[in-house]
Amino acid sequence: MLTNLKHKIITLSIIIASLNSSCKSGANISNKGKSVVLKEEKFKHYVDYFNTMEDENLKFAIPNDSAWSWMEKNIPLFECPQQNFEEIYYFRWWSVRKHIKNTPQGFAITEFLVDRSYADKYNMISCALGHHINEFRWVHDPKYIEQDVKIWYRGNEGKPMNKLYKFSSWTADALYNRYLVNKDEKFLLDLYPDMVTDYAVWEKDRQRKDGLFWQHDVKDGMEESLSGGRKVQNARPTINSYMYGNAVAISKMAEMKGDKETEAKFKAKADVLQQLVETKLWNKKSEFFETFTEKDTLAQVREAIGFIPWYFNLPEKSKGFEKAWEQVKDEKGFSAPFGLTTAERRSLRFRTHGTGTCEWDGAIWPFATSQTLTAMANVLNNYNQDFVEKPDYFKQLELYVQSQYYRGKPYLGEYLDETTGYWLMGDRERSRYYNHSTFNDLVITGLVGLRPRADEKIEVNPLIPQEKWDWFCLDNVLYHGNIITILWDKTGEKYKKGKGFRVFKNGKEIAFSEKLERVISE
């Protein structure tokens, strides 16, 4: 009897410990999958169709026959009147889960499905790690991206993977932004020392005497660019913006940790980089952030990387930097029939480097489109300017949607022709389902406009022009442990919740407006 009593006490202790552990988790498991308005089964037909599009010659952790089961448990639901937006939204979730791979150390997330000779263990490549974190932060089950990040930083006998530093990265920034979605402080601070060490590695290896960081364009994942080269050591807007974003994120982690010395140190690093980018990389003549060459001269060519500082809200407000955004509307700048080019179209060297060697001399790369649209959403949300407006964002996101088709079917590859939309390596096996960009994060944080923040207020600022759609709904969003639903219903007839723009938390309405505009719950 005493033995039975001990057994019951031990069992009860385990249950209590388990409950306490669940309560401390940033992602409240009990709220998963509780959509308020939309029904999962309504969107299953997309996956049924996607599964018929291919022979599925490569299968990893979640094969096609398990794709819908995984999606209905893990993803926010999205519905809108423009079918291609909806189709590509579900296609991107369907395609990204193909890259989840079981390894002896947990789940890894790949960039290519086919093995690449320059990849690390498990075919991992670090180039798009920041994109992976930002996209996967909306997946309900946190284990996929958490285990992937842990492998990158501790998968080599407790040390970083051998090829982690093969590419520039904004990992600390992405991890902090993931924390703003799930509020999992424990996971974030567990990686805090790794991020501090990570920053020091880049300082030792890539920092110039003037404080700027240099990088080969190929190590930014942007080879054959107009401003650099595979062996040229230029101070590019990419790595300098990334390091600014990482410094800001680490300072915030240090504040959470109560490490005042490190907090102050990284705030100072961020301040110095901000000043250097604004003074050395800004071309007053072209009114654009440009590459500062190894010869200490500006490159004298506008490239899409000049928008990246706004990805991290780096440029100070009201100093005139926002004028650079006029170039996204200029057909001699970056505006093309199928999206935003990677270099200005007026350049005499535009698209002069040939095709087939991953050129960044003008063709459209989803990697860059993701960065530019994230940056544009920040400008529209955080800067008082009139150079770009909601219709400009919607136009470019719509072109991004339209570009993700090949021979009439949803497709995602490496890069495409800016005037025809033709995927330049679309028939190469390596290019299929190339996991090198975001899309659904743009839909959630930009188009629909859920803006992650550290406090418990819910802020939504849709970038959909007022008269564009009569209705849309984003549902089953796991945010701060709650299920968020955002809907617009012009007439009130679609969702039967009344006319207007509404936000719900766990089914309870918390914000309302008669029109599509920024709302913030109390």
Side-chain angles (χ1 to χ4, degrees):
M1 185 172 178
L2 185 59
T3 302
N4 288 340
L5 180 61
K6 286 181 178 179
H7 177 74
K8 289 178 180 178
I9 291 171
I10 292 170
T11 302
L12 182 61
S13 299
I14 292 171
I15 292 171
I16 292 171
S18 176
L19 287 171
N20 286 339
S21 175
S22 296
C23 291
K24 291 176 183 176
S25 172
N28 188 337
I29 304 299
S30 65
N31 274 336
K32 284 187 182 180
K34 293 185 178 179
S35 55
V36 173
V37 174
L38 303 179
K39 302 302 179 185
E40 289 87 351
E41 58 268 19
K42 184 175 182 179
F43 308 101
K44 182 178 180 294
H45 68 94
Y46 285 117
V47 174
D48 292 338
Y49 169 61
F50 301 151
N51 286 345
T52 68
M53 295 193 311
E54 56 155 21
D55 53 0
E56 195 183 14
N57 58 327
L58 294 169
K59 298 181 183 181
F60 296 109
I62 306 163
N64 285 358
D65 59 12
S66 301
W68 176 246
S69 176
W70 181 84
M71 287 169 66
E72 66 178 344
K73 293 174 185 174
N74 279 291
I75 69 167
L77 302 174
F78 176 62
E79 181 181 53
C80 72
Q82 200 161 329
Q83 194 268 342
N84 58 350
F85 269 80
E86 199 174 281
E87 181 173 52
I88 295 302
Y89 177 83
Y90 290 102
F91 172 72
R92 289 298 296 256
W93 286 126
W94 179 84
S95 63
V96 79
R97 58 84 215 170
K98 283 177 169 288
H99 291 270
I100 300 171
K101 194 171 187 177
N102 263 318
T103 80
Q105 299 187 69
F107 289 106
I109 297 169
T110 62
E111 179 176 313
F112 293 93
L113 292 180
V114 299
D115 289 343
R116 305 303 298 153
S117 61
Y118 51 84
D120 214 317
K121 281 194 300 186
Y122 318 128
N123 202 35
M124 295 172 73
I125 297 173
S126 63
C127 182
L129 178 57
H131 282 329
H132 295 171
I133 295 168
N134 281 330
E135 197 85 334
F136 269 85
R137 62 179 171 162
W138 302 106
V139 172
H140 287 203
D141 193 330
K143 66 174 177 272
Y144 305 106
I145 194 62
E146 289 182 356
Q147 291 176 18
D148 178 71
V149 172
K150 288 283 184 74
I151 292 173
W152 270 120
Y153 283 89
R154 300 173 188 174
N156 184 18
E157 297 182 350
K159 297 178 181 179
M161 297 281 271
N162 288 329
K163 297 182 179 180
L164 173 63
Y165 298 105
K166 189 177 179 70
F167 293 99
S168 311
S169 172
W170 62 100
T171 306
D173 173 83
L175 287 173
Y176 182 77
N177 280 306
R178 178 178 180 268
Y179 160 77
L180 294 182
V181 170
N182 67 14
K183 294 305 291 288
D184 189 348
E185 183 176 318
K186 182 179 179 181
F187 178 79
L188 182 69
L189 294 186
D190 179 50
L191 282 161
Y192 166 63
D194 302 77
M195 296 300 103
V196 173
T197 301
D198 184 78
Y199 202 96
V201 170
W202 286 108
E203 285 182 314
K204 181 180 179 181
D205 196 47
R206 286 291 193 269
Q207 195 163 32
R208 296 163 30 126
K209 290 181 180 179
D210 63 2
L212 285 168
F213 289 82
W214 65 266
Q215 186 59 290
H216 308 297
D217 62 7
V218 67
K219 295 298 180 72
D220 269 339
M222 302 177 180
E223 54 268 45
E224 307 296 334
S225 69
L226 293 188
S227 65
R230 293 173 182 258
K231 296 182 179 180
V232 182
Q233 299 181 4
N234 288 341
R236 294 163 54 80
T238 46
I239 189 170
N240 286 286
S241 298
Y242 300 167
M243 297 308 291
Y244 168 84
N246 288 338
V248 170
I250 293 170
S251 72
K252 290 177 179 177
M253 294 180 206
E255 182 182 13
M256 293 164 63
K257 190 80 172 175
D259 185 349
K260 294 186 180 299
E261 182 181 348
T262 303
E263 178 190 356
K265 182 170 74 172
F266 277 89
K267 278 184 177 178
K269 290 178 186 292
D271 290 343
V272 169
L273 266 179
Q274 181 183 45
Q275 188 266 337
L276 286 170
V277 169
E278 290 182 347
T279 56
K280 290 203 168 189
L281 272 59
W282 179 255
N283 187 330
K284 293 180 180 179
K285 184 178 179 181
S286 67
E287 297 177 301
F288 209 79
F289 287 110
E290 295 181 1
T291 292
F292 194 63
T293 74
E294 59 186 7
K295 297 179 181 179
D296 287 352
T297 60
L298 286 165
Q300 303 299 333
V301 63
R302 298 181 185 92
E303 298 170 291
I305 58 176
F307 296 118
I308 291 178
W310 283 277
Y311 188 104
F312 305 95
N313 297 293
L314 182 156
E316 290 182 79
K317 301 172 185 177
S318 304
K319 281 195 169 184
F321 296 120
E322 298 90 348
K323 196 172 191 302
W325 286 92
E326 286 184 329
Q327 296 297 322
V328 301
K329 300 185 291 186
D330 190 341
E331 292 183 0
K332 293 181 180 179
F334 298 89
S335 177
F338 275 87
L340 294 169
T341 57
T342 47
E344 59 181 333
R345 302 176 75 192
R346 64 172 63 83
S347 172
L348 296 177
R349 294 183 292 132
F350 182 82
R351 296 293 308 274
T352 57
H353 292 179
T355 301
T357 55
C358 301
E359 308 80 25
W360 281 70
D361 61 346
I364 295 171
W365 283 80
F367 184 100
T369 300
S370 304
Q371 291 180 320
T372 304
L373 287 177
T374 299
M376 191 191 298
N378 284 342
V379 170
L380 290 167
N381 275 278
N382 304 329
Y383 290 78
N384 183 18
Q385 53 78 47
D386 55 10
F387 297 106
V388 282
E389 298 176 343
K390 288 183 179 184
D392 301 308
Y393 181 89
F394 188 90
K395 174 187 175 181
Q396 292 304 329
L397 189 63
E398 185 174 30
L399 290 175
Y400 189 21
V401 168
Q402 292 170 2
S403 74
Q404 293 179 75
Y405 286 88
Y406 186 55
R407 293 175 177 159
K409 296 179 181 180
Y411 180 86
L412 180 61
E414 294 176 72
Y415 66 133
L416 60 142
D417 185 276
E418 73 282 357
T419 57
T420 66
Y422 181 77
W423 286 94
L424 295 173
M425 295 201 290
D427 291 322
R428 295 191 188 184
E429 179 62 26
R430 64 176 249 178
S431 289
R432 280 206 295 174
Y433 313 117
Y434 190 42
N435 187 23
H436 197 237
S437 59
T438 62
F439 176 76
N440 293 332
D441 183 64
L442 299 174
V443 170
I444 295 167
T445 65
L447 185 72
V448 176
L450 176 58
R451 307 297 293 175
R453 47 193 291 165
D455 62 18
E456 292 309 310
K457 293 182 179 181
I458 308 294
E459 178 179 353
V460 185
N461 184 27
L463 300 183
I464 302 167
Q466 185 68 42
E467 301 303 322
K468 180 61 68 172
W469 290 346
D470 286 349
W471 50 266
F472 68 82
C473 181
L474 179 69
D475 201 354
N476 200 34
V477 182
L478 186 59
Y479 178 80
H480 290 206
N482 301 293
I483 292 297
I484 303 301
T485 306
I486 302 165
L487 67 82
W488 161 248
D489 193 343
K490 185 177 181 179
T491 66
E493 294 300 313
K494 176 67 177 178
Y495 298 115
K496 310 299 182 184
K497 300 288 185 182
K499 297 179 182 180
F501 184 51
R502 300 171 190 273
V503 181
F504 300 83
K505 182 169 78 172
N506 300 326
K508 180 182 178 181
E509 186 175 308
I510 57 171
F512 166 77
S513 175
E514 293 181 353
K515 59 183 180 179
L516 285 174
E517 63 181 356
R518 188 194 306 264
V519 294
I520 303 175
S521 72
E522 292 301 321

